[in-house]
Amino acid sequence: MNIERIHWIENGEERSAAWRSESGWPAPKKVVLADDTMNADTAYRLALEGTGLLWRGDFQNARQLLQALVRRIEHKGGRARRAKAAAKPATLTEQFHRHRLAQLQRARTLAMLLIPFEADYTIPLRRAPEVGEACLEAYGPGAETFVASLRELLGVIGAHEWRRKGVFIPVLDERIHPWYGVFSPVRGEYVELVAQAPLPAGASNKLAFDIGAGTGVLSAVLAHRGVEKLIATDMDERALGCARANIERLGLQGQVEVVKADLFPEGRAGLVVCNPPWLPGKPSSAIEYAVYDPDSRMLRGFLAGLKEHLLIGGEGWLILSDLAEHLGLRSREQLLGWIAGAGLAVAGRHDIRPVHPKASDPDDPLAAARMQEVTSLWRLRIG
């Protein structure tokens, strides 16, 4: 694998280091040194231009500078939104695309504040924290010095805390511990749907597939409900490791097998569960693959392949928010057309309203759509 490198001039000499970006951002073409003497306005102007700011000052001051950059971006973004709203009211679809563009621009600008790392993940800056354990969890064993954005590092540290503390799942009365890059089960409504929907009768309870297992939380819920054997699949190595660790921690390894597969494992099951990304769109980071599904690939792939992996009398459970419908990104007719086209019929649907903070935040850019959102468990059978 070719490792991209970042280059800069320091003390009259050309220097370089490996570049690391989990979001897939390319290394900045231009890099200047920055320290405690650089003011926020200068840093903001350089970051907007795409100039990397390689920090050589106090680490805690770098964090303060990042917060100052956030404030400038939010101030500018607020003025821009007000100006556009005054000029012409936007449709929800237009608001979504503007929001995504603003998110990408914000992320790219904030990614310009850079932190150096030694090969053992120590940070050679004053008052720098010990981040070795967090980086080892996210990146694996170190190999050489590298540079990454401070914003990414803070994400790594935050993920380490999520992994250490875990997320309490009431229906399990246990905690699920998400890994870096694996979507945390903080939106409990989809877990609640899987916990409450009636299981298919008879032999259908003997084997279930959990497609796109992530943390393994839905496999754990179904195992607790009495499903005798589950096969949980994913393609992402972090998700596979995370799911295995959670299943083992819960003592369910005798019921749940975690395997690498693109959607379905071999064979047929009486219950096949899938909670695909809910919005069609291009992810901008590893964690966004749990939210954005390019061209609805996973959703359409699940529906298209379900009939060939479902026992007669069994059910496929599709857990899906209708937020994409409210945003004009996908219609209900289109979803029903994909279901019918795959030779499937809707046996029932269970709905629940989201309760996460954004669902009732009037200041959220997508508030009008979020306040109408319903998450559904579609019970599908062979038509």
Side-chain angles (χ1 to χ4, degrees), residues 30-352:
K30 182 179 180 181
V31 177
V32 299
L33 300 182
D35 58 24
D36 310 316
T37 64
M38 179 175 285
N39 63 55
D41 288 334
T42 299
Y44 181 56
R45 175 179 57 80
L46 290 169
L48 280 177
E49 295 171 353
T51 299
L53 309 174
L54 181 56
W55 194 254
R56 291 304 194 201
D58 180 272
F59 180 87
Q60 301 305 326
N61 287 345
R63 293 192 65 161
Q64 292 181 16
L65 179 59
L66 184 66
Q67 292 170 359
L69 294 177
V70 169
R71 289 193 294 271
R72 280 157 176 77
I73 291 171
E74 290 177 346
H75 179 68
K76 179 182 177 182
R79 286 191 303 175
R81 285 194 298 272
R82 287 190 294 273
K84 288 178 179 177
K88 180 184 178 182
T91 66
L92 284 174
T93 307
E94 290 170 336
Q95 290 179 36
F96 169 75
H97 289 301
R98 288 177 184 176
H99 176 60
R100 283 293 290 158
L101 180 59
Q103 282 184 315
L104 290 171
Q105 291 172 337
R106 180 181 189 273
R108 183 57 175 156
T109 300
L110 295 178
M112 290 297 104
L113 185 52
L114 313 177
I115 298 295
F117 293 80
E118 302 291 354
D120 63 356
Y121 297 128
T122 58
I123 299 173
L125 299 174
R126 295 189 306 276
R127 293 202 294 166
E130 168 55 53
V131 298
E133 185 178 358
C135 289
L136 186 64
E137 289 174 352
Y139 301 140
E144 61 175 318
T145 60
F146 69 96
V147 170
S149 79
L150 173 58
R151 189 168 184 259
E152 177 165 306
L153 172 62
L154 296 179
V156 167
I157 294 171
H160 172 65
E161 289 303 308
W162 276 110
R163 178 169 174 173
R164 183 176 65 83
K165 296 177 181 178
V167 179
F168 183 70
I169 307 298
V171 298
L172 294 174
D173 196 27
E174 295 280 1
R175 290 185 177 273
I176 289 290
H177 297 260
W179 288 16
Y180 178 75
V182 181
F183 195 71
S184 176
V186 291
R187 289 191 56 158
E189 69 267 17
Y190 75 92
V191 178
E192 188 67 26
L193 284 169
V194 172
Q196 297 297 330
L199 291 169
S204 296
N205 286 341
K206 293 187 178 297
L207 175 64
F209 297 158
D210 177 8
I211 309 302
T215 61
V217 63
L218 297 186
S219 287
V221 169
L222 291 169
H224 272 252
R225 293 194 64 188
V227 176
E228 295 180 18
K229 176 71 176 178
L230 289 118
I231 300 177
T233 71
D234 213 297
M235 285 294 290
D236 181 77
E237 292 294 342
R238 284 176 177 151
L240 292 166
C242 179
R244 290 187 182 111
N246 280 310
I247 293 302
E248 290 175 8
R249 185 180 291 107
L250 296 172
L252 298 173
Q253 59 268 41
Q255 282 176 269
V256 182
E257 179 185 4
V258 181
V259 301
K260 185 173 185 178
D262 188 0
L263 295 178
F264 299 94
E266 294 182 0
R268 294 175 181 263
L271 177 62
V272 184
V273 179
C274 184
N275 176 35
W278 292 346
L279 295 176
K282 182 180 179 182
S284 63
S285 64
I287 194 67
E288 284 199 342
Y289 276 92
V291 180
Y292 294 99
D293 186 10
D295 197 30
S296 298
R297 174 195 172 275
M298 185 174 180
L299 170 59
R300 292 187 297 110
F302 170 72
L303 294 173
L306 179 58
K307 184 177 179 180
E308 300 302 317
H309 292 86
L310 197 60
L311 291 171
I312 299 297
E315 291 185 359
W317 287 2
L318 171 65
I319 302 100
L320 196 66
S321 159
D322 66 356
L323 183 61
E325 297 174 20
H326 297 301
L327 292 172
L329 305 176
R330 179 177 60 236
S331 69
R332 178 60 57 93
E333 291 72 21
Q334 189 174 29
L335 175 62
L336 293 174
W338 290 341
I339 291 172
L344 304 168
V346 178
R349 197 183 78 221
H350 304 270
D351 298 334
I352 191 170

